[in-house]
Amino acid sequence: MKEKLEQLRQQAMQALEAAPDKKALEELRVKVMGKKGSLTELLRGMGSLPPEERPKAGQMVNQLRQELTERFDAREAAMEAAAKAERLAAERLDVTMPGKRRPAGGLHPLNRVLDELIDIFQSMGFDVVDGPEVETEHYCFEALNVPKDHPARDMQDTFYLGPDLLLRTQTSAAQIRTMEGRTPPIRMICPGRVYRADEVDATHSPVFHQVEGLVVDKGITMCDLKGVLEQFAHEIYGPETKVRFRPSFFPFTEPSVEVDVSCSECGGKGCRICKGTGWIEILGAGMVHPNVLSGCGIDPEVYSGFAFGIGLDRLTTTRHRISDIRLLFENDRRFLEQFAR
Ligand code: PHE
């Protein structure tokens, strides 16, 4: 009996240590200590022993059962601890690893220049208004003193959406909307997209941007226009910049001027940017035509005003030495990233 027990003990211990996982361990536990297990079998076999040996044998079996139970439990606990340690090791985070960088976006160069421009005009007391890109003939042409047979109205120049609906060709439409809705004094700028059926090339795009300006008050003269534009040019291009007025024509201003600034690239000597002239044309302007004022219910005998329309794309390309206007619309990141600060 004693030898049998010792044999069982050794076998069980060996198998126990060799069990690869909890499942195998559990199976072993049943095989040894279950109802039909080998230890239980031994216990049953005790009936064949002489009565005086039975208590001693019973004691030995119980001792072995207890010992084995402890070993099984210990082995199981060790397996659980090992599995947990393994899981923790697999889930370990290395907090010293470098993070993934997300590059920050940046403003489009047109928006950068526009923001600058808005700051300059706001500091001179102008407010910023918005106007629709889809306009009627009234706001885009009629009220601006552009007669029916004016070439600007031609299908070649203007995108018509319907008989009396078009994409605005100029932000000047916002002048009319402002004067119709307000009483002077008026000081506003209106930035936005404009559309013309132009062929695309390095200096032309069917969609481009203007910033309209309008001042209406008592006693406004061309000197005010020049003062405001000079201030603007100095802030954008530097204080040494000169401003030049050339006589021009617009149906809604009289007199009308084309405004040039001395080329900031060559200081007026002539270069590639200014095409050798020393000057860069940046806007059209003039004194608001009396017909336009009265059409909006403003008495031209009492009030006068000036208006200007800045070409934002041209301002941006000359400002940042961009050689081709198409770059502003292509959204090529290699180009745009140069401006993202
Ligand atoms: N709207 C004119 C253009 O598109 C520019 C302009 C605006 C001229 C205001 C005079 C006054 O060319």
Side-chain angles (χ1 to χ4, degrees), residues 58-78:
Q59 204 185 349
M60 284 196 305
V61 170
N62 280 337
Q63 211 177 333
L64 181 58
R65 174 184 289 281
Q66 197 185 340
E67 190 186 347
L68 284 175
T69 303
E70 275 165 21
R71 290 301 299 232
F72 270 110
D73 288 351
R75 179 89 174 102
E76 189 178 343

Side-chain angles (χ1 to χ4, degrees), residues 189-254:
I189 57 170
C190 173
R193 284 190 202 97
V194 297
Y195 303 84
R196 285 180 206 177
D198 279 333
E199 287 297 334
V200 179
D201 64 25
T203 53
H204 292 86
S205 160
V207 48
F208 56 105
H209 303 80
Q210 290 185 333
V211 182
E212 196 75 12
L214 175 71
V215 171
V216 181
D217 203 350
K218 288 177 182 155
I220 298 292
T221 71
M222 204 122 178
C223 292
D224 299 305
L225 172 62
K226 187 142 199 206
V228 164
L229 292 180
E230 252 169 15
Q231 174 71 19
F232 161 69
H234 289 171
E235 299 226 25
I236 286 275
Y237 289 108
E240 66 293 335
T241 307
K242 290 201 257 327
V243 175
R244 166 173 100 168
F245 279 17
R246 278 181 294 116
S248 184
F249 173 80
F250 298 104
F252 39 91
T253 47
E254 181 61 33

Side-chain angles (χ1 to χ4, degrees), residues 179 184 216-218 289-305:
M179 285 191 280
V216 181
D217 203 350
K218 288 177 182 155
H289 198 291
N291 287 357
V292 175
L293 289 175
S294 54
C296 296
I298 295 173
D299 186 351
E301 298 296 329
V302 180
Y303 292 103
S304 57

Side-chain angles (χ1 to χ4, degrees), residues 4-5 7-16 24-44 61 64-69 72:
K4 274 192 185 162
L5 275 174
Q7 201 186 355
L8 178 65
R9 186 176 167 275
Q10 271 182 13
Q11 272 173 4
M13 288 299 184
Q14 248 171 35
L16 200 143
L25 192 69
E26 204 45 46
E27 279 166 11
L28 185 67
R29 197 197 282 256
V30 173
K31 223 167 97 192
V32 178
M33 308 207 296
K35 270 192 195 132
K36 290 178 188 158
S38 30
L39 191 67
T40 324
E41 212 91 303
L42 267 184
L43 206 59
R44 280 207 196 101
V61 170
L64 181 58
R65 174 184 289 281
Q66 197 185 340
E67 190 186 347
L68 284 175
T69 303
F72 270 110

Side-chain angles (χ1 to χ4, degrees), residues 144 169-172 175 194 196 208 210-213 250 252-253 256-258 283-286 306-310:
L144 284 162
T169 57
Q170 48 186 357
T171 44
S172 300
Q175 286 185 34
V194 297
R196 285 180 206 177
F208 56 105
Q210 290 185 333
V211 182
E212 196 75 12
F250 298 104
F252 39 91
T253 47
S256 302
V257 290
E258 215 95 58
L283 60 93
F306 64 77
F308 55 84
I310 301 170

Side-chain angles (χ1 to χ4, degrees), residues 268-333:
K269 286 197 273 299
C271 68
R272 195 176 53 85
I273 301 279
C274 58
K275 298 204 180 82
T277 63
W279 296 93
I280 293 171
E281 185 192 321
I282 55 163
L283 60 93
M287 301 306 293
V288 182
H289 198 291
N291 287 357
V292 175
L293 289 175
S294 54
C296 296
I298 295 173
D299 186 351
E301 298 296 329
V302 180
Y303 292 103
S304 57
F306 64 77
F308 55 84
I310 301 170
L312 183 62
D313 313 85
R314 185 130 173 77
L315 201 66
T316 306
T317 51
T318 54
R319 188 70 209 281
H320 290 296
R321 295 168 204 166
I322 299 165
S323 57
D324 194 321
I325 191 178
R326 285 170 287 198
L327 288 165
L328 294 176
F329 302 105
E330 279 167 357
N331 281 337
D332 185 333
R333 275 182 54 183

